[in-house]
Structures are given as structure tokens and as C-alpha cells.
């Protein structure tokens, strides 16, 4: 089955009982047992719910793994995965991971003894030199936010295996339509499904797929024990979003290419970060491991004042955090998502005051280009 077909026919297609082609929303907490201990696969909705189960089967198929899990947010997914580890364990992470991931590792998981080291994982040797005796996993985000740095998934997974570490990949930016980390040897892939998988700025959710039955058993035990599950309404909304992921990603990327072409020729724009550009450092690696380059771009307009000016003039780019929806969203990382990082450290990382990040949406490309043109001039 090819990708676009799998997004529609993967998992559990429709409803056996009624023939409904869309999985119904089982808005239910408990299930009648035929006799004591005899149930039909569902007993209580924290443990399992038919709508959530259909979503979990779908994402399992789409990522090509053994078990899928749906959580109440991307952060709930990440935190639940970290509950696989014990106090005293250590994890090596990409240094510019999503801000919420950085926060949970440095302000919450550290309190229960899970240690973290952050390195530029686009250089493999940085990961290897951060490995300690108590290291249990490598946590990679590729490409990253906002500078779109790319990590080689195959090389990272091979290296992790050599040291008996689990490889965990946050695949939110590229989506399983373009990139399947498990196929390169990763053990766990996770998503903020709030972004492209949902795709319409109307649901907060997290998904995890594991490539091993035992890991699946362990994670189900954690999901059931700690309870950070996704509800049936949101599970249904997410399945609805995933059906169109393929055509959305194709169109997101087409629009992005046109915007990058425009920005490249614009005199005000200094640096453009997009892995689809042959000049981008991660271009060749991304080409090897992903069938698309996605729809996130960052570019520099020289100063914070200029960035403010541009943002104030734009009409179709909504000033907001988040990404991956039909609406084009724009942000200034230095003042928004990355404001908590000290100024000097930000500059070291390349997050200048004039850096603008766009999540390119699905509006008519001519409107987007005209809008950027008037705002930049
Ligand atoms: C948004 C995001 C998260 C967190 O997901 P929520 O659904 O907001 O909890 C994690 N990783 C990445 C890359 C994200 O963009």
C-alpha cells in the first residue's frame, strides 16, 4: 500500500458493526462484561477505547511500527516515553529540541533523577562524546526549530545500538508522510499531532509508535498507569486530519518552495534556512532520509525592528506560535518561542533578533507572495 492510500485505508477501516466508513466516536468510559472478567476487548477507556484504538492502529501502520499510542498532547507523549527510564538514567538530546521538551527535561524530569545532556546532534561525534555509563537513550529532533538543523537518523541509530541505547525521534516537523525514523533503526518515534497530523489548529494531541513488542507492552503499562490518554472526540478529529496528510504535505511543500525562491531574490533577506536549499548544511542528509523537505522556513531580515515592521504589515501570515496547520503562521523566535534563552546564547545558536520563522500554510500562493512582497518593501 502506498503512503496516500495507507493514510486512508491503514489501521482499522470504518466500523464492522454498522458499515460506517468513518470510525464512530465511542464516547464511553466503561463496557458491559458478558460475565465476570469476560469482556470484548474493552473494559475501561483509560486502558483502551475503540476510537483511540483505531487511531493508534492507524499511526502504527503509517510509521511502520509494532504498537501505536495516543496521548493528550505531544508533551504528555514525551513525558510518558521518559517514564520508561529510571532515576539515575541519562539521556542525550539534540540541543535545539522543542522548548517544551527542554523545559520538561530541565525542570521536571531532573527532579525525579532523569539526567539530560544537550548536544548539536547534527555532528554525530557530539552525541558519542556525551555518552556516559548511565546513558540509556538518544533523543533526536530533525530538522530542528528554528534553524532546521538535520541529524542523520541511520548513523545516529547505528551509533546508539553500538552503545545499547534506545533511539527516540521527534518526527513532528517532517511527518510520517515524508520520513519514517523506525525504518532507519530508531526504536521509538513520537509526534506532537497538534501540528501537521491534525493539521487544522483544532486539536492538541501526541502520538507514539514503538518498533518492539516489549517496548509496546511497557508503554501500554505506563499509558494505563499514568493515564495521559487522548479522548475519543480528539482521536476522531486526528484520524480525520491524517486522511488528508499526503495532499496537505505536498501542497505545503509546493507553497514553501515558491516562497523560498521569492525570499532568495529579495534584497532585505539575509539568511534563509530551509533544508530544501542545496546550500543548507543538512540538505544531502535530509534528501537521503526524507522524501520531502517540509514547510518550515526561517530567514533573517537584519534586526528586531525590521522584523517587527514586517510582521505588522502582513495580512495572511498569522502571528502565532505553533505550526503545521492550513493557516500560514509566523513568529519571531527571539521574542517568542526562544525568549527564555539568554541573548548571548541565542546569538551563539544563530537565533538573531531579526530571525523570522514561517510555517507555510495552504492559502493561494499568489496571495502569500503578494503579502510578503508588500510587507518586506
Ligand atoms: C509542539 C511540539 C511539541 C509539543 O507538543 P504539544 O502537542 O504542544 O504538547 C513537541 N515537539 C515538537 C517538535 C513540537 O513542535
Amino acid at each position: 500500500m502506498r503512503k496516500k492510500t495507507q493514510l486512508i485505508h491503514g489501521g482499522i477501516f470504518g466500523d464492522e458493526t454498522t458499515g460506517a466508513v468513518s470510525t464512530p466516536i465511542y464516547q464511553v468510559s466503561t463496557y458491559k462484561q458478558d460475565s465476570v472478567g469476560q469482556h470484548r476487548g474493552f473494559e475501561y477507556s483509560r486502558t483502551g477505547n475503540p476510537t483511540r484504538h483505531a487511531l493508534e492502529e492507524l499511526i502504527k501502520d503509517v510509521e511502520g511500527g509494532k504498537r501505536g499510542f495516543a496521548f493528550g498532547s505531544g508533551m504528555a507523549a514525551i513525558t510518558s516515553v521518559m517514564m520508561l527510564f529510571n532515576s539515575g538514567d541519562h539521556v542525550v538530546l539534540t540541543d535545539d529540541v522543542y522548548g517544551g521538551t527542554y523545559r520538561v527535561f530541565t525542570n521536571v524530569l531532573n527532579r525525579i533523577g532523569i539526567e539530560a545532556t544537550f548536544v548539536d546532534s547534527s555532528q554525530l561525534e557530539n552525541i558519542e562524546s556525551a555518552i556516559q555509563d548511565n546513558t540509556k537513550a538518544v533523543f533526536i529532533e530533525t530538522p530542528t526549530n528554528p534553524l532546521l538543523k538535520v541529524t542523520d537518523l541511520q548513523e545516529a541509530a547505528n551509533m546508539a545500538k553500538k552503545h545499547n541505547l534506545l533511539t527516540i525521534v521527534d518526527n513532528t516537523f517532517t511527518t510520517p508522510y515524508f520520513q519514517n525514523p523506525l525504518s532507519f533503526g530508531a526504536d521509538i518515534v513520537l509526534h506532537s499531532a497538534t501540528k501537521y497530523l491534525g493539521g487544522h489548529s483544532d486539536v492538541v494531541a501526541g502520538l507514539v509508535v514503538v518498533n518492539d513488542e516489549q517496548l509496546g507492552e511497557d508503554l501500554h503499562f505506563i499509558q494505563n498507569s499514568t493515564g495521559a490518554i487522548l479522548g475519543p472526540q480528539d482521536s476522531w478529529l486526528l484520524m480525520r486530519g491524517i486522511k488528508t496528510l499526503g495532499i496537505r504535505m505536498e501542497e505545503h511543500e509546493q507553497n514553501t518552495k515558491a516562497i523560498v525562491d521569492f525570499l532568495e531574490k529579495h534584497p532585505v533577506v539575509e539568511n534563509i534556512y530551509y533544508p530544501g536549499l542545496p546550500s543548507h548544511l543538512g540538505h544531502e542528509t535530509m534528501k537521503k532520509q526524507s522524501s520531502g523537505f517540509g514547510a518550515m522556513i526561517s530567514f533573517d531580515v537584519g534586526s528586531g525592528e525590521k522584523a517587527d515592521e514586517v510582521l505588522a504589515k502582513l495580512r495572511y501570515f498569522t502571528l502565532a506560535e505553533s505550526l503545521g496547520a492550513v493557516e500560514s503562521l509566523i513568529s519571531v523566535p527571539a521574542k517568542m518561542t526562544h525568549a527564555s534563552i539568554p541573548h548571548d546564547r541565542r546569538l551563539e545558536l544563530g537565533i538573531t533578533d531579526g530571525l523570522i520563522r514561517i510555517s507555510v500554510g495552504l492559502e493561494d500562493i499568489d496571495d502569500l507572495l503578494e503579502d510578503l512582497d508588500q510587507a518586506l518593501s
Side-chain angles (χ1 to χ4, degrees):
M1 214 190 297
R2 292 169 181 81
K3 260 287 148 62
K4 276 183 190 150
T5 311
Q6 194 182 37
L7 293 165
I8 294 164
H9 290 270
I12 299 164
F13 186 83
D15 181 48
E16 279 292 320
T17 320
T18 61
V21 294
S22 154
T23 303
I25 301 169
Y26 283 89
Q27 192 70 51
V28 58
S29 62
T30 192
Y31 305 79
K32 173 176 173 286
Q33 305 197 354
D34 296 327
S35 60
V36 179
Q38 289 286 333
H39 59 77
R40 303 175 207 175
F42 297 96
E43 42 189 332
Y44 186 65
S45 279
R46 170 161 33 74
T47 317
N49 170 282
T51 314
R52 191 178 92 226
H53 180 63
L55 167 65
E56 293 176 330
E57 287 294 296
L58 176 61
I59 193 63
K60 177 202 78 180
D61 286 354
V62 169
E63 278 290 13
K66 295 254 166 42
R67 289 280 291 273
F69 300 94
F71 294 94
S73 70
M75 288 322 303
I78 291 170
T79 307
S80 300
V81 164
M82 293 322 295
M83 291 298 108
L84 290 165
F85 302 102
N86 297 310
S87 175
D89 288 349
H90 172 253
V91 182
V92 181
L93 294 97
T94 302
D95 58 0
D96 45 358
V97 279
Y98 176 72
T101 307
Y102 183 81
R103 181 172 58 197
V104 80
F105 270 90
T106 55
N107 289 283
V108 180
L109 294 170
N110 62 319
R111 292 198 284 105
I112 55 171
I114 294 173
E115 300 165 23
T117 303
F118 298 87
V119 299
D120 178 352
S121 61
S122 64
Q123 306 294 318
L124 199 67
E125 59 272 21
N126 294 338
I127 308 180
E128 195 148 29
S129 54
I131 295 173
Q132 310 172 359
D133 289 343
N134 59 341
T135 305
K136 292 289 156 57
V138 177
F139 185 114
I140 291 163
E141 201 175 303
T142 177
T144 59
N145 171 30
L147 297 178
L148 291 310
K149 282 194 285 190
V150 177
T151 296
D152 189 312
L153 290 170
Q154 182 85 63
E155 283 183 5
N158 287 350
M159 198 266 292
K161 276 206 175 59
K162 197 176 85 191
H163 293 273
N164 274 320
L165 314 177
L166 289 179
T167 304
I168 304 166
V169 179
D170 183 333
N171 202 26
T172 302
F173 269 38
T174 313
T175 83
Y177 181 67
F178 285 142
Q179 174 174 283
N180 294 119
L182 300 182
S183 70
F184 298 105
D187 302 284
I188 301 176
V189 59
L190 54 87
H191 291 275
S192 168
T194 313
K195 317 294 167 55
Y196 290 105
L197 294 175
H200 296 75
S201 306
D202 54 12
V203 60
V204 173
L207 294 172
V208 179
V209 179
V210 300
N211 212 6
D212 174 86
E213 296 290 355
Q214 188 56 49
L215 267 180
E217 284 302 306
D218 294 349
L219 195 58
H220 183 256
F221 186 83
I222 289 167
Q223 186 190 41
N224 187 40
S225 301
T226 60
I229 50 156
L230 191 66
Q233 295 266 355
D234 286 347
S235 295
W236 183 87
L237 262 179
L238 213 46
M239 281 191 282
R240 177 198 236 259
I242 290 171
K243 288 178 218 240
T244 58
L245 181 69
I247 52 163
R248 282 189 288 110
M249 292 314 291
E250 299 280 357
E251 193 74 11
H252 274 299
E253 191 173 67
Q254 283 309 316
N255 278 358
T256 306
K257 283 185 177 146
I259 289 178
V260 168
D261 281 349
F262 167 83
L263 292 174
E264 269 201 299
K265 294 188 199 104
H266 204 286
V268 171
V269 177
E270 289 174 9
N271 280 314
I272 305 172
Y273 301 90
Y274 181 59
L277 283 171
S279 57
H280 186 89
L281 274 177
H283 178 71
E284 289 303 324
T285 304
M286 184 121 182
K287 207 159 104 184
K288 195 176 69 176
Q289 64 195 20
S290 174
S291 59
F293 295 105
M296 298 299 300
I297 46 180
S298 295
F299 59 99
D300 205 321
V301 294
S303 71
E305 294 73 50
K306 182 72 191 169
D308 285 346
E309 240 175 76
V310 171
L311 261 57
K313 284 196 207 158
L314 284 168
R315 292 167 54 204
Y316 298 129
F317 292 82
T318 304
L319 178 65
E321 294 186 5
S322 199
L323 59 113
V326 292
E327 304 86 10
S328 289
L329 301 177
I330 196 158
S331 66
V332 178
K335 284 197 190 139
M336 298 168 69
T337 44
H338 293 66
S340 59
I341 303 173
H343 189 248
D344 289 350
R345 173 71 186 139
R346 273 208 309 266
L347 292 184
E348 260 172 45
L349 292 169
I351 304 168
T352 52
D353 294 344
L355 192 75
I356 293 178
R357 186 193 85 175
I358 296 181
S359 165
V360 179
L362 301 180
E363 298 89 347
D364 190 305
I365 187 60
D366 291 331
D367 286 325
L368 295 180
L369 290 174
E370 275 171 26
D371 197 21
L372 278 171
D373 194 32
Q374 62 82 18
L376 284 166
S377 62

